[in-house]
Amino acid sequence: DGGITQSPKYLFRKEGQNVTLSCEQNLNHDAMYWYRQDPGQGLRLIYYSQIVNDFQKGDIAEGYSVSREKKESFPLTVTSAQKNPTAFYLCASSISSGQGNNEQFFGPGTRLTVL
Amino acid sequence: QKEVEQNSGPLSVPEGAIASLNCTYSDRGSQSFFWYRQYSGKSPELIMSIYSNGDKEDGRFTAQLNKASQYVSLLIRDSQPSDSATYLCAWYNFNKFYFGSGTKLNVKP
């Protein structure tokens, strides 16, 4: 059963704590993305990666870090430097970075709450 | 600034009617356009992709693309209460996807 999995579904963080959100895909997609969605708002790009061992900052990268050591995995760390991390985090993937059939699919999301 | 403009709604239509959702975009270079449906508390689900001018139909959904006027629209025929959700338009260029803020659709029984 192909798809994108994210874990955990819900995550609670204390002030000053780093947390890591998992994202795995078995679609053999080259590109992976992390977005943040606040209530009633659109999607904002945090980081994206086109190939293994390479990634680029999106529009709101401050306070976040990522790694891309394997094609199927793209974990996101929310650091203590992110002052307002409570949000819905969405991981996505697409086939390639070129034009054409580059549909993007989303995982189920992780809802992060700061206590 | 690459932008996507959507009317946030809510757009209310009666059951069985046609719902029309519109989106304008700022970058003429894009070649790929998408519509996503997002239910409350869930992740976005891809429902339509369109790459060339004209109409593309899939069941009750029709996507329309006009690159000269820089707009893309989604028509939902025979709207059902289960279609009530937020619809996001998106376009792709230079390795990134750009999303509108979404239009909330309410289909009233």
Side-chain angles (χ1 to χ4, degrees):
Chain A
D1 189 21
I4 304 170
T5 58
Q6 292 186 242
S7 62
K9 185 175 181 179
Y10 298 97
L11 185 58
F12 298 91
R13 193 193 92 168
K14 295 181 180 179
E15 294 279 352
Q17 192 177 44
N18 292 356
V19 292
T20 297
L21 283 59
S22 170
C23 178
E24 303 276 337
Q25 54 96 2
N26 61 4
L27 301 170
N28 199 32
H29 284 173
D30 293 310
M32 297 186 74
Y33 307 79
W34 274 105
Y35 296 91
R36 167 180 173 146
Q37 188 175 38
D38 294 283
Q41 304 295 314
L43 303 179
R44 291 189 288 170
L45 181 64
I46 305 173
Y47 269 98
Y48 62 107
S49 169
Q50 305 299 315
I51 57 173
V52 175
N53 292 323
D54 189 38
F55 49 82
Q56 289 77 40
K57 293 182 179 180
D59 301 319
I60 56 165
E62 185 176 353
Y64 301 97
S65 65
V66 294
S67 63
R68 187 85 187 276
E69 297 177 359
K70 298 185 296 182
K71 184 176 183 178
E72 59 270 22
S73 179
F74 191 41
L76 173 74
T77 296
V78 184
T79 75
S80 57
Q82 172 50 237
K83 298 307 179 186
N84 186 23
T86 295
F88 189 37
Y89 289 87
L90 292 158
C91 178
S93 70
S94 64
I95 289 177
S96 73
S97 59
Q99 298 294 340
N101 183 13
N102 53 355
E103 295 173 336
Q104 182 179 72
F105 299 93
F106 285 86
T110 292
R111 198 165 297 277
L112 173 63
T113 302
V114 173
L115 301 175
Chain B
Q1 180 74 17
K2 301 182 188 297
E3 293 184 351
V4 182
E5 297 291 334
Q6 275 189 273
N7 186 328
S8 62
L11 173 66
S12 292
V13 300
E15 183 175 357
I18 295 176
S20 177
L21 307 166
N22 300 301
C23 182
T24 59
Y25 60 95
S26 60
D27 189 343
R28 290 185 175 273
S30 181
Q31 301 295 317
S32 307
F33 301 86
F34 310 93
W35 282 98
Y36 289 84
R37 176 176 62 197
Q38 187 175 25
Y39 292 113
S40 181
K42 302 296 185 181
S43 63
E45 173 192 9
L46 179 66
I47 55 173
M48 289 289 284
S49 56
I50 186 166
Y51 304 106
S52 57
N53 278 329
D55 296 358
K56 178 182 179 183
E57 185 174 320
D58 184 1
R60 294 187 296 112
F61 298 99
T62 299
Q64 300 174 318
L65 174 60
N66 185 322
K67 291 187 180 181
S69 300
Q70 296 178 249
Y71 82 79
V72 58
S73 62
L74 179 70
L75 300 178
I76 306 175
R77 292 181 299 281
D78 189 23
S79 296
Q80 301 297 310
S82 60
D83 294 326
S84 296
T86 296
Y87 290 80
L88 306 171
C89 68
W91 57 273
Y92 177 84
N93 204 6
F94 297 116
N95 301 333
K96 296 198 293 186
F97 291 81
Y98 300 87
F99 287 85
S101 56
T103 299
K104 187 171 184 178
L105 173 66
N106 291 327
V107 181
K108 298 183 177 180

